[in-house]
């Protein structure tokens, strides 16, 4: 394994040595130090020399790891402001109530986590008392990404400051009664408290980076100055194994996001055991973050270790700390002083001598209790260094003990993540340790009491005064309901009503053209946030480059190669487009930050994220659930949609199922528009619903998913029939009848209803003509713009019926009186149209692109899946033959005629 501290070969090695004699003198000096004072002294001097070189701007490889000690020595720690004793009492109350809440809930079998907050209490309390800004000053404050398993401690603090009562705590994880607390940070479940859902492991750190980046975007574009906002992300060391946790570290460093701090609670444990049993997670993370360009602050050891480090004149203690793997550190936490003397100190003669100067109590204090993350002064020094550091984000690696203060039955035990309660005796021991005024008699019938010093106690007054000085309660979500955004001029939408004439236009291009018009709107244009993952040219968006600019905090420091072209690549500090490179996860994190800016910053932004539909829901559905939980609003656009429209790309790119996944998300309104005018109607309605005047009882906290296609086709004019716009929004309307389509059918011809969505409606229209001209069948064609919204409406009607209310589903109303059977077709698996089958009164059948995709022409792919016009004709004849309305032989004849 390569030593991460080794200096790697560089360009300097290729240069001739201009002064070999001087070089030899330096090398000889180093040899002499190693020989006389030992190799560790030589290594120490080299490290200090490299640090001095780096500080002086000399271009040398950076050290990726430092010694396993605190970055900020005790002598350099700033004084802790405020009243440390008061803050210790507040923290004690919060520790108690967090454990009591989970233990009381355990009697109902609802679970909960105790050990995480016990280890991280001072990491939060120090921030709440001295750093985390509330929203009552500028409406934004700081953004806090709370580690999900620590939520009981956050609830306990809200109880202490009066924002929650005992009834709330007793309903932890019991929400059905309406007075409960969600298990983790869930804005949709507790929207006045939580801003950011963080328990999908890894999504918190990823989102925090893009939130910090979006804050800079808002400031640089002049939408709102949020430069005072700081993003804090609290993470577990085990969580850092998730690829999303470290996916955007380079972005944060590259864009110098010094408005961002990661606080990683390094208690060395994940759910089942040690994070790095045979290694050291702190050192690994330090190297990873330093290599990515972050400022790293290690807060590992508490003040009890100062005496030990002062005795370490040979460096033996620092060497031993680097050698001991994390799992052994965890073992020390549970063993007596004799074991530690033998196993830790006995490994080096110098340490044996050191241990003779230490009492057993001193050894146990250091190895059992004293960690940097458990001391307010150490944490304060790290936080102060983080917020004062400029030019790079900071990560604080704070070492703690999982289960700290919960007793020997919890601390550093492998199973403590699954341990949900303390016994009464354990609580009494914890009470004595924390010096809380709780009496034995308060444990009525064996039930642990909540503790509160009183609403007018010095502790509560201090807590509230500190929060008032920092801008109000935190965490807190505030919707400073701005006035509804004015609707854009109708002209932008009406332009699509007349169709495209003889020109073929793909619906992807129609959407891009619509956005180009909307971003010019004087009132709302600047609020659009176009997001694309390095596929803007694929979607025809390059025309937006020179007009809107691609956001870059550096602006454009080079002359673009295509500067002499009309649609040149233009980056700008105030650019509007977020072109994220090949990262769907990063693009979704952008979208989430923009979609919830109405609450985070009181600024309604209108994000649209356009992507290969196959690489959206399939790849980042977890983030789309996060988006829903965060009450985000905006437009997701799945381009190059469908299983047969993206010719040549084959199986991996052929999306036949994104609407199925979208249907699993209660906040997603999924549409599969066929025509340009449908796209315009849907976007107009989405702007009204999410950003305009909401109708009574209408939930504005939704987002839209539109599938658009790259297949250039004629775009018809919008039918003049009444109710078309309503049908587009609700999910179904009749596009034409056999008669209005102008096809010749005999009187009393058998009739069928063809329902198509997206590009499939064009196959249905071709089939309508074939059925009339070659088989004497009349077909009416319906545009099913949203199978999902039809189903949602039908489910609501079913629920109303159970309440004793009579409601007819819209799909049944729309098809009422339509003659003949219904045949539905889409460019997706049959499960997509089959969502509504049970509410259709007519005989139902469907066609779809089930199975894997393949590389070929569109026509060949559609024939392969049996969804082309000829396949629709055969399926329609089969339906009619079942009813006795056409001869059974017609089906066989059609199959032979079309080569099926």
């Amino acid at each position: 394994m390569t030593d991460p501290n080794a200096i790697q070969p560089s360009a300097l090695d290729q240069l001739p040595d201009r002064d070999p004699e001087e070089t030899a003198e330096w090398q000889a000096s180093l040899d002499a130090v190693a020989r006389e004072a030992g190799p560790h002294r030589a290594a120490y001097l080299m490290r200090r020399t490299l640090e001095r070189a780096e500080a002086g701007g000399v271009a040398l490889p950076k050290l990726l790891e430092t010694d396993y000690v605190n970055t900020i020595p005790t002598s350099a720690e700033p004084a802790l402001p405020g009243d440390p004793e008061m803050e210790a009492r507040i923290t004690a109350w919060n520790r108690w109530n967090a454990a009591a809440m989970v233990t009381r809930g355990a009697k109902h079998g609802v679970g909960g986590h105790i050990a995480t907050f016990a280890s991280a209490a001072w990491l939060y309390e120090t921030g709440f008392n001295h750093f985390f800004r509330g929203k009552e000053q500028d409406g934004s404050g700081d953004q806090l990404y709370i580690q999900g398993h620590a939520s009981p401690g956050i609830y306990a603090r809200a109880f202490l400051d009066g924002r929650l009562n005992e009834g709330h705590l007793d309903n932890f994880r019991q929400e059905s009664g309406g007075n409960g607390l969600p298990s983790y940070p869930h804005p949709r479940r507790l929207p006045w408290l939580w801003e950011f859902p963080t328990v999908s492991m890894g999504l918190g750190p990823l989102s925090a980076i893009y939130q910090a980046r979006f804050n800079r975007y808002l400031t640089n574009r002049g939408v709102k100055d949020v430069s005072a906002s700081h993003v804090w992300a609290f993470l577990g060391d085990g969580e850092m194994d998730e690829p999303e946790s470290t996916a955007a570290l380079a972005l944060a460093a590259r864009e110098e996001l010094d408005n961002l701090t990661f606080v990683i609670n390094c208690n060395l444990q994940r759910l089942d055991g040690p994070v790095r049993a045979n290694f050291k997670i702190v050192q690994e993370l330090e190297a990873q973050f330093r290599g990515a360009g972050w400022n790293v602050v290690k807060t590992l050891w508490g003040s009890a270790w100062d005496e030990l480090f002062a005795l370490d004149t040979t460096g033996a203690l620092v060497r031993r700390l680097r050698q001991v793997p994390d799992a052994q550190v965890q073992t020390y936490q549970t063993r007596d002083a004799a074991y530690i003397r033998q196993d830790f100190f006995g490994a080096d003669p110098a340490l044996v001598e050191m241990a003779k100067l230490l009492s057993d109590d001193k050894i146990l204090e250091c190895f059992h209790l004293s960690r940097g993350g458990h001391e307010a002064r150490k944490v304060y020094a790290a936080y102060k260094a983080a917020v004062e550091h400029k030019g790079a984000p900071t990560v604080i690696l704070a070492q703690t003990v999982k289960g700290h203060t919960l007793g020997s039955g919890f601390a550093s035990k492998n199973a403590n993540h699954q341990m949900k309660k303390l016994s009464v005796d354990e609580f009494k021991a914890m009470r004595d340790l924390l010096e809380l005024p709780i009496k034995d008699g308060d444990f009525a019938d064996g039930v642990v009491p909540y503790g509160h010093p009183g609403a007018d106690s010095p502790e509560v007054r201090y807590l509230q005064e500190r929060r008032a000085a920092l801008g109000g309660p935190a965490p807190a979500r505030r919707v400073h309901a701005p006035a509804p955004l004015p609707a854009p001029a109708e002209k932008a939408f009406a332009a699509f009503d007349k169709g495209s004439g003889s020109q073929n236009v793909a619906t992807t291009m129609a959407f891009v053209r619509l956005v180009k018009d909307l971003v010019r709107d004087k009132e709302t244009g600047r609020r659009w946030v176009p997001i694309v993952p390095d596929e803007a040219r694929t979607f025809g968006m390059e025309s937006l480059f020179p007009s809107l600019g691609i956001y870059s905090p550096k602006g454009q420091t080079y002359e673009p190669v295509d500067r002499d072209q009309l649609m040149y690549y233009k980056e700008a500090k105030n650019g509007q487009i977020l072109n994220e490179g090949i990262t769907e996860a990063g693009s979704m994190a952008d979208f989430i930050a923009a979609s919830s800016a109405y609450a985070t910053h009181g600024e309604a932004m209108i994000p649209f994220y356009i992507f290969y539909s196959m690489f959206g829901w399939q790849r980042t559905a977890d983030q789309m659930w996060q988006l829903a939980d965060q009450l985000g609003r905006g437009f997701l656009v799945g381009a190059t949609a469908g299983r047969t429209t993206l010719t040549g790309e084959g199986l991996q790119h052929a999306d036949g199922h994104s609407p199925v996944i979208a249907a699993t998300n209660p906040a997603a309104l999924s549409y599969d528009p066929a025509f340009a005018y449908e796209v315009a109607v849907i976007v107009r309605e989405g702007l009204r619903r999410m950003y305009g005047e909401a109708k009574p009882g209408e939930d504005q906290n939704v987002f839209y998913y539109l599938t658009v296609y790259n297949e250039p086709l004629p775009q018809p004019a919008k039918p003049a029939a009444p109710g078309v716009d309503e049908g587009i929004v609700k999910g179904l309307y009749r596009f034409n009848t056999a008669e209005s389509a102008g096809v010749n059918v005999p009187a009393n011809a058998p009739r069928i209803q063809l329902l198509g969505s997206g590009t499939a409606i064009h196959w249905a229209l071709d089939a309508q003509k074939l059925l009339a001209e070659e088989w004497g069948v009349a077909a009416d064609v319906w545009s099913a713009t949203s199978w999902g919204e039809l189903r949602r409406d039908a489910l609501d009607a079913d629920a109303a019926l159970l309440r004793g209310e009579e409601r007819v589903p819209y799909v049944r109303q729309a098809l009422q009186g339509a003659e003949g059977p219904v045949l539905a077709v889409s460019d997706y698996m049959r499960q997509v149209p089959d969502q509504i089958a049970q509410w259709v009164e007519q005989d139902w059948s469907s066609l779809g692109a089930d199975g894997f995709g393949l590389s070929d022409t569109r026509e060949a792919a559609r024939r392969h899946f049996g969804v082309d016009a000829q396949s629709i004709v055969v399926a329609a004849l089969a339906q009619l033959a079942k009813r006795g309305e056409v001869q059974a032989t017609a089906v066989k004849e059609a199959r032979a005629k079309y080569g099926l």
Side-chain angles (χ1 to χ4, degrees):
M1 181 177 177
T2 302
D3 182 355
N5 294 305
I7 297 178
Q8 303 300 314
S10 70
L12 294 176
D13 300 320
Q14 310 301 318
L15 300 177
D17 190 341
R18 294 186 300 176
D19 193 341
E21 184 176 348
E22 181 184 35
T23 303
E25 289 176 359
W26 277 76
Q27 292 171 337
S29 298
L30 181 63
D31 291 342
V33 171
R35 183 173 56 253
E36 300 297 328
H40 300 292
R41 176 61 180 169
Y44 177 85
L45 291 177
M46 287 301 300
R47 285 177 179 274
R48 298 292 85 82
T49 302
L50 286 172
E51 289 173 356
R52 174 61 63 88
E54 182 179 347
V58 178
L60 285 173
K62 293 184 178 180
L63 292 172
L64 294 185
E65 286 187 35
T66 60
D67 288 326
Y68 201 64
V69 297
N70 294 348
T71 302
I72 303 171
T74 301
S75 60
E77 290 172 1
L80 180 64
D83 186 336
E85 291 185 6
M86 185 69 71
E87 292 175 17
R89 293 205 298 274
I90 291 170
T91 305
W93 284 116
N94 291 338
R95 287 182 181 278
W96 177 272
N97 288 321
M101 179 195 329
V102 175
T103 297
R104 288 166 68 132
K107 292 188 175 183
H108 303 287
V110 296
H113 301 282
I114 301 178
T116 295
F117 178 72
S119 68
W122 276 115
L123 302 180
Y124 290 106
E125 285 301 319
T126 305
F128 284 129
N129 288 322
H130 301 288
F131 291 94
F132 304 157
R133 296 170 59 254
K135 291 181 172 290
E136 293 179 359
Q137 291 176 345
D138 62 4
S140 293
D142 287 353
Q143 288 80 59
L144 309 180
Y145 288 77
I146 304 294
Q147 190 180 0
H149 293 152
S151 62
I154 308 304
Y155 290 140
R157 196 171 210 277
F159 169 65
L160 203 64
D161 72 10
R163 292 197 290 167
L164 295 175
N165 57 42
E166 288 192 12
H168 291 110
L169 301 193
D170 265 346
N171 283 306
F172 174 60
R173 292 193 170 197
Q174 300 172 76
E175 299 180 75
S176 59
N179 194 35
L181 301 177
S183 53
Y184 301 128
H186 291 307
R188 186 167 284 274
R189 300 306 310 161
L190 200 63
W192 61 267
L193 181 73
W194 298 119
E195 279 196 282
F196 308 109
T198 54
V199 174
S200 264
M201 302 289 279
L203 299 190
L206 179 68
S207 292
I209 289 173
Y210 281 89
Q211 181 66 57
R213 196 280 193 93
F214 190 73
N215 290 355
R216 289 280 174 85
Y217 172 89
L218 288 177
T219 300
N220 288 337
R221 285 197 54 220
V223 176
K224 182 180 181 181
D225 184 356
V226 295
S227 55
S229 290
H230 199 89
V231 178
W232 300 82
F234 289 84
L235 318 169
D237 47 359
E239 182 180 4
M240 300 310 294
D241 284 347
E242 292 284 359
E244 295 89 349
S245 295
T246 55
L249 298 186
L251 167 72
R254 183 170 65 246
E255 299 206 359
E256 302 178 355
L257 297 180
D258 50 26
N259 60 339
L260 170 67
T261 298
F262 275 16
V263 181
I264 303 181
N265 178 14
C266 297
N267 57 35
L268 314 185
Q269 286 184 258
R270 53 189 179 199
L271 275 61
D272 289 332
V275 179
R276 293 290 184 272
N278 296 297
F279 306 94
K280 301 190 80 63
I281 185 61
V282 168
Q283 299 299 92
E284 178 183 319
L285 291 174
E286 178 184 28
Q288 192 169 17
F289 277 87
R290 283 188 186 276
W294 286 53
N295 176 46
V296 179
V297 177
K298 293 196 290 192
T299 303
L300 307 181
W301 307 110
S303 56
W305 284 82
D306 290 348
E307 179 182 341
L308 275 68
F309 287 124
L311 295 171
D312 185 28
T313 57
T314 66
L317 177 63
V318 174
R319 291 197 301 274
R320 182 65 178 142
L321 288 173
R322 284 178 60 89
Q323 293 167 356
V324 177
D326 284 352
Q328 191 63 19
V329 173
Q330 184 177 331
T331 297
Y332 294 150
Q333 177 70 33
T334 65
R335 299 300 177 89
D336 60 19
Y339 178 89
I340 299 171
R341 284 183 187 276
Q342 178 180 351
D343 191 87
F344 182 84
F345 292 98
D348 189 299
L351 294 181
V352 172
E353 295 302 312
M354 179 188 295
K356 292 178 181 178
L357 304 175
L358 304 174
S359 68
D360 285 356
D361 286 345
K362 181 66 176 180
I363 289 175
L364 293 179
E365 180 186 14
C366 288
F367 283 84
H368 284 192
L369 301 174
S370 187
R371 300 291 187 274
H374 295 324
E375 294 189 14
R377 177 167 175 167
K378 304 288 185 185
V379 175
Y380 178 85
Y383 286 8
K384 189 171 188 292
V387 297
E388 291 178 352
H389 185 81
K390 301 302 177 186
T394 294
V395 59
I396 295 169
L397 303 174
Q399 187 160 273
T400 66
V401 174
K402 195 166 186 176
H404 183 60
T405 73
L406 298 180
S408 59
F410 262 85
S412 284
K413 294 297 177 66
N414 282 337
N416 61 20
H417 187 81
Q418 282 73 35
M419 297 162 69
K420 311 299 183 186
K421 59 184 178 181
L422 277 68
S423 68
V424 169
D425 288 341
E426 287 172 325
F427 266 110
K428 290 179 179 178
M430 180 182 177
R431 170 201 62 189
D432 296 341
L433 176 66
L434 298 176
E435 299 180 347
L436 292 172
I438 296 173
K439 302 174 183 177
D440 286 354
D442 294 336
F443 291 83
D445 300 321
V447 177
V448 59
Y450 296 119
H452 200 293
D456 196 40
S457 64
E459 292 93 336
V460 173
R461 288 202 305 272
Y462 181 88
L463 181 156
Q464 293 176 341
E465 287 168 1
R466 292 304 309 138
R467 289 312 315 155
L470 288 166
R477 183 178 184 272
R478 297 283 186 270
V479 179
H480 303 277
L485 296 182
E490 182 62 25
K491 180 181 178 181
F493 305 104
F496 297 90
D497 289 354
K498 62 185 178 182
S500 63
S502 60
Q503 183 182 6
N504 290 342
V505 176
T507 50
T508 297
M509 297 307 301
F511 177 84
V512 171
R513 177 187 161 188
L514 175 63
V515 169
K516 285 177 64 177
D517 290 341
L518 293 175
V519 296
R520 296 192 187 104
D521 185 85
K522 292 182 180 179
E523 298 290 336
T524 60
R526 72 190 186 104
R527 298 191 176 275
W528 283 86
V529 183
I531 303 166
V532 60
D534 199 35
E535 290 280 6
R537 297 184 192 278
T538 301
F539 307 136
M541 291 175 58
E542 65 269 31
S543 61
L544 298 178
F545 290 170
S547 58
L548 300 185
I550 300 166
Y551 172 73
S552 169
K554 298 285 187 182
Q556 194 157 41
T557 61
Y558 60 91
E559 183 178 353
V561 67
D562 54 358
R563 183 62 183 88
D564 58 340
Q565 298 178 17
L566 181 63
M567 293 184 288
Y568 69 97
Y569 194 82
K570 177 186 176 183
E571 295 187 84
K573 191 173 183 178
N574 64 346
Q576 194 163 350
I577 301 169
L578 291 172
N579 191 318
E580 291 303 4
I582 305 174
T583 168
E584 287 81 10
S587 299
M588 269 305 302
D590 265 336
F591 187 91
I592 291 169
S595 71
S596 52
Y598 72 93
T600 308
H601 296 298
E603 293 287 345
M605 305 300 288
I606 311 171
F608 83 85
Y609 165 35
I610 187 168
F611 49 88
Y612 268 68
S613 64
M614 184 67 165
F615 303 148
W617 287 87
Q618 174 167 297
R619 186 166 290 197
T620 58
D622 197 13
Q623 287 179 284
M624 290 161 179
W625 193 270
Q626 178 190 9
L627 164 66
D629 197 358
Q630 199 164 313
L631 308 174
R633 307 170 184 174
F635 296 95
L636 297 176
V637 183
T640 59
R643 185 148 277 167
T644 70
T645 59
L646 188 57
T647 56
E649 300 286 356
L651 182 154
Q652 190 180 23
H653 288 65
D655 171 26
H657 52 276
S658 68
V660 177
I661 308 176
T664 65
N665 193 309
L669 279 60
S670 179
Y671 285 87
D672 187 26
F675 305 125
Y677 66 79
E678 293 178 351
V679 172
V681 170
I682 293 164
V683 171
R684 181 180 61 194
E685 171 63 10
L687 290 172
R688 182 208 63 77
R689 177 164 179 175
M690 295 185 290
Y691 301 98
E693 293 284 356
K695 298 175 182 177
E698 190 173 52
D699 184 7
Q700 287 189 285
N701 298 316
V702 296
F703 60 93
Y704 282 66
Y705 175 55
L706 279 71
T707 48
V708 292
Y709 298 82
N710 68 330
E711 185 174 9
L713 291 165
Q715 296 297 326
K718 183 196 293 188
V724 169
D725 283 11
E726 179 189 22
I728 292 172
V729 171
K730 289 188 173 182
L732 182 68
Y733 69 98
R734 183 157 51 195
F735 176 72
N736 69 17
T737 63
E739 291 75 15
S740 65
V743 295
N744 296 318
V745 292
N748 300 318
R751 187 172 292 269
I752 190 169
Q753 308 298 318
L754 302 180
L755 277 57
S757 69
T759 194
I761 201 169
H762 296 277
W763 322 330
L765 289 169
D766 290 342
Q768 179 188 51
K769 185 176 181 181
L770 291 173
L771 283 166
E773 295 179 351
E774 300 183 7
W775 304 98
V777 172
D780 301 336
V781 176
W782 299 69
S783 180
T785 53
S786 179
W787 309 103
E789 286 307 289
L790 292 173
R791 177 179 176 80
R792 196 191 306 267
D793 171 79
L795 290 172
D796 289 344
D798 285 356
L801 189 61
L802 292 176
R803 297 191 301 267
E805 304 170 17
E806 288 291 338
R807 257 199 59 193
V808 179
Y810 174 79
V811 64
R812 190 170 295 167
Q813 295 177 44
L815 291 171
Q816 187 174 13
E819 298 178 31
V822 168
L823 173 59
V825 61
S826 80
D827 204 14
Y828 296 94
M829 56 197 301
R830 288 176 60 183
Q831 187 176 340
V832 174
D834 284 350
Q835 293 180 83
I836 67 169
Q838 72 185 83
W839 293 282
V840 174
E841 294 180 313
Q842 292 87 344
D843 292 340
W844 172 272
S845 63
S846 63
L847 297 175
D850 287 77
F852 291 111
L854 74 166
S855 299
D856 213 312
T857 64
R858 293 182 179 119
E859 292 75 15
R862 286 160 190 168
R863 176 56 59 93
H864 169 80
F865 286 112
V867 293
D868 60 356
Q870 291 79 9
S871 298
I872 294 173
V873 169
V874 172
L877 293 174
Q879 278 289 87
L880 293 169
K882 279 185 187 178
R883 297 160 58 94
E885 297 181 19
V886 300
Q887 295 294 322
T889 55
V891 181
K892 183 177 181 181
E893 292 173 13
R895 280 202 299 266
K897 180 174 183 176
Y898 300 134
L900 297 177

